[in-house]
Amino acid sequence: MDRIAVLIVTSDFAMRDHLSGFLKANNSLRTESCATIRQAMKILENQNIRIVYCDLFVEGKRSAPSIEKIKQMLPQAYVMAGGSTATAKDVISCMQAGADEFLLDPTDPQLIDSAFDKAIREIQQKQRTPEPNARGAMKNIITEDPRLIATLGIAKKVAPSSASILITGESGTGKELLASFIHHNSNRTADPYVAVNCAALPEQLAESELFGHEKGAFTGAVSRKIGKFESAGKGTLVLDEITEMAMTLQAKLLRALQEREIVRLGNNRPVAVEARVVAISNRSMKKAVGEGVFREDLFYRLNVIPLTIPPLRERKDDIPLLADYFLKRFSKQNSKAMTVISDGAMQSLIRHDWPGNVRELENTIQRGVLIGSGNTLQQQDLILEETLSNPSQRPSLSAGVTVREMEKELIFNTLESVNDNRTHAAKMLGISIRTLRNKLNEYREETEMAAP
């Protein structure tokens, strides 16, 4: 295994020599050192540093703000702080800034040895086990469907490239799982996998979230923030629900993809970016372009490799495979002995239309495991959600009911039918998730105003 690079940041030359000399005896580590935060940032930008030791005071200033900057720049780095004169307040401020460890006496060989051994173990564990943000890296995409198998084949072939990829499909089909599959099969697996839900980004903060900002760029910007593009490094940046991105931000995203650089808010200096972009949409991109809510030039920039996941209702043969997989998973999680799905239950699963796709099937099996007993999942253990395509579930029309009231009833009925999944509800209603969110905010404000 390659040696893990350590950066020691301290203005105390005696401390630097002491730590460097001690760590040189550890064959797992390679040590760098510097005396200023400015030098540290330059080293961190140019080298693959995995462990950072930062003295409590650097150049006479408390290092907690610098630790926060380091963690923003390198979220995966293991950061230690230390100082023999530290108070409880110093320790708390450093830990709140993102430090993983605090050495109360960085001259004590036993403490140093213990702290760095712990850091090495955690880094090695992360290398063996993908981070939570590398979703799907260790999961299988379970399918026997020829179309989905062909899609996976294409995804595996293009994964090592740097080309942008556009994944489309209905909500709940597993688009983020496919994005993670691409990351796992690329040459970027050692680098971050960063996923952003564009619909969840407040418009006022969206640019800062993606591209970052400098201190003082706007009210409340008390320190520099590294955006998602930079956080992704040489890894994968997944932009989920891309059609919900504001048009002004789309223009800046287009420039970032074309020029391979971004500009933080409050700064004019371009920053080079290397992340591969995977965009995800549950809407027809061409329709979004036709409706004027998505830039045509950005669509073609993203649509270099288009991949589509078919809905579950079009791949019925996958239902028994997935149901069996979820049954075993949830039985194990809940310490149940349930290992078999009855014929009647399986027929009900196969006949169901699955508007919520794989996610709905997963929820259904989980409920069944919790409700049922014994070793067999029975038909009566299943609670299959009815959809608005069922005439008996459509909201009734009554004389005197306003369009506004009907709209409200329709929205709430739809949300109830999909377990409050707003993305799925918006698709069923034929509106954007932003419009749905605005409607719900309006209803909440009306309720608050009507309250005594």
Side-chain angles (χ1 to χ4, degrees):
M1 180 181 141
D2 292 340
R3 289 192 297 168
I4 296 168
V6 180
L7 176 62
I8 299 169
V9 187
T10 176
S11 303
D12 184 333
F13 291 98
M15 178 61 69
R16 197 186 324 164
D17 290 343
H18 171 70
L19 282 173
S20 297
F22 185 85
L23 295 176
K24 278 179 182 175
N26 191 322
N27 293 328
S28 298
L29 301 175
R30 174 175 62 82
T31 308
E32 299 279 342
S33 62
C34 63
T36 69
I37 295 299
R38 185 185 293 272
Q39 290 171 338
M41 291 301 180
K42 193 168 183 180
I43 293 170
L44 293 173
E45 284 178 358
N46 296 303
Q47 297 189 39
N48 184 26
I49 301 294
R50 303 300 301 275
I51 302 173
V52 179
Y53 170 84
C54 194
D55 211 357
L56 180 60
F57 291 92
V58 179
E59 299 176 275
K61 297 178 181 178
R62 293 187 183 278
S63 59
S66 301
I67 290 171
E68 187 174 5
K69 290 179 183 178
I70 291 168
K71 288 298 284 188
Q72 287 175 345
M73 178 184 284
L74 294 174
Q76 306 302 319
Y78 190 97
V79 178
M80 294 186 211
S84 53
T85 60
T87 65
K89 186 176 179 180
D90 291 327
V91 176
I92 291 169
S93 64
C94 287
M95 300 303 280
Q96 287 178 335
D100 299 283
E101 182 73 75
F102 194 100
L103 293 178
L104 287 170
D105 185 359
T107 63
D108 184 331
Q110 189 173 356
L111 281 178
I112 298 170
D113 198 34
S114 174
F116 278 89
D117 278 350
K118 179 184 175 185
I120 292 167
R121 286 196 305 273
E122 291 205 13
I123 288 169
Q124 290 174 341
Q125 181 63 29
K126 286 179 180 179
Q127 289 174 341
R128 289 192 294 268
T129 307
E131 289 293 310
N133 67 346
R135 285 184 288 274
M138 297 298 287
K139 295 178 184 176
N140 294 319
I141 296 179
I142 300 169
T143 184
E144 286 185 351
D145 180 72
R147 285 183 301 167
L148 186 50
I149 290 171
T151 297
L152 293 175
I154 296 170
K156 198 166 186 177
K157 285 181 181 178
V158 303
S161 75
S162 59
S164 297
I165 294 176
L166 177 62
I167 302 174
T168 55
E170 293 182 6
S171 294
T173 49
K175 298 184 293 298
E176 260 210 74
L177 189 60
L178 180 56
S180 181
F181 174 87
I182 291 166
H183 177 76
H184 184 57
N185 284 278
S186 71
N187 53 7
R188 303 167 186 266
T189 50
D191 297 295
Y193 174 97
V194 178
V196 183
N197 188 320
C198 298
L201 291 176
E203 286 190 33
Q204 301 86 346
L205 300 176
E207 184 174 354
S208 169
E209 285 293 317
L210 279 182
F211 304 126
H213 65 250
E214 299 291 346
K215 181 179 179 180
F218 52 84
T219 303
V222 295
S223 63
R224 171 187 282 184
K225 176 184 174 66
I226 300 301
K228 301 298 186 184
F229 254 102
E230 287 183 82
S231 297
K234 296 181 181 180
T236 303
L237 176 63
V238 179
L239 300 175
D240 197 3
E241 299 197 60
I242 187 72
T243 53
E244 301 305 314
M245 183 179 286
M247 292 293 279
T248 52
L249 197 58
Q250 289 180 32
K252 294 181 179 181
L253 174 59
L254 176 64
R255 184 184 181 283
L257 294 173
Q258 288 174 335
E259 306 298 330
R260 304 303 300 168
E261 62 183 29
I262 56 97
V263 177
R264 299 190 198 111
L265 279 170
N267 196 334
N268 294 322
R269 184 174 64 87
V271 178
V273 290
E274 300 181 66
R276 133 71 78 67
V277 173
V278 177
I280 295 176
S281 176
N282 58 12
R283 296 181 61 190
S284 165
M285 296 291 286
K286 289 185 177 178
K287 186 177 178 182
V289 170
E291 292 172 350
V293 297
F294 200 79
R295 292 179 63 111
E296 186 175 21
D297 48 4
L298 178 56
F299 165 63
Y300 287 115
R301 175 64 62 175
L302 293 169
N303 198 41
V304 179
I305 310 292
L307 300 173
T308 301
I309 302 182
L312 187 57
R313 64 181 172 276
E314 293 180 8
R315 44 189 179 105
K316 293 285 190 179
D317 289 344
D318 283 350
I319 293 174
L321 294 174
L322 290 163
D324 186 62
Y325 168 78
F326 291 135
L327 180 76
K328 288 181 170 59
R329 180 173 131 200
F330 291 121
S331 291
K332 184 176 180 181
Q333 284 182 8
N334 295 283
S335 301
K336 293 264 194 161
M338 200 173 286
T339 57
V340 180
I341 301 175
S342 72
D343 291 342
M346 186 61 76
Q347 287 306 310
S348 294
L349 294 173
I350 293 171
R351 284 196 302 267
H352 191 61
D353 201 38
W354 300 112
N357 291 292
V358 179
R359 188 182 296 123
E360 184 187 352
L361 174 60
E362 180 180 10
N363 292 342
T364 299
I365 299 299
Q366 184 177 21
R367 280 197 303 266
V369 169
L370 295 173
I371 293 170
S373 57
N375 68 344
T376 302
L377 180 68
Q378 301 291 348
Q379 189 169 4
Q380 61 266 27
D381 301 329
L382 300 176
I383 302 175
L384 296 173
E385 300 166 0
E386 296 295 334
T387 70
L388 291 177
S389 59
N390 184 335
S392 65
Q393 296 296 316
R394 293 174 185 160
S396 58
L397 294 171
S398 304
V401 176
T402 66
V403 172
R404 173 76 168 173
E405 289 168 341
M406 285 303 304
E407 175 192 76
K408 185 175 179 180
E409 183 182 350
L410 178 61
I411 286 174
F412 283 129
N413 284 351
T414 305
L415 281 166
E416 186 179 357
S417 74
V418 294
N419 283 340
D420 287 327
N421 183 323
R422 292 189 181 186
T423 302
H424 185 198
K427 179 173 177 57
M428 291 175 69
L429 292 163
I431 59 177
S432 72
I433 193 166
R434 186 179 300 155
T435 300
L436 176 60
R437 188 166 55 240
N438 290 340
K439 291 286 184 187
L440 292 173
N441 288 338
E442 288 175 18
Y443 302 151
R444 185 174 63 251
E445 288 171 6
E446 288 173 1
T447 304
E448 290 172 355
M449 289 175 66

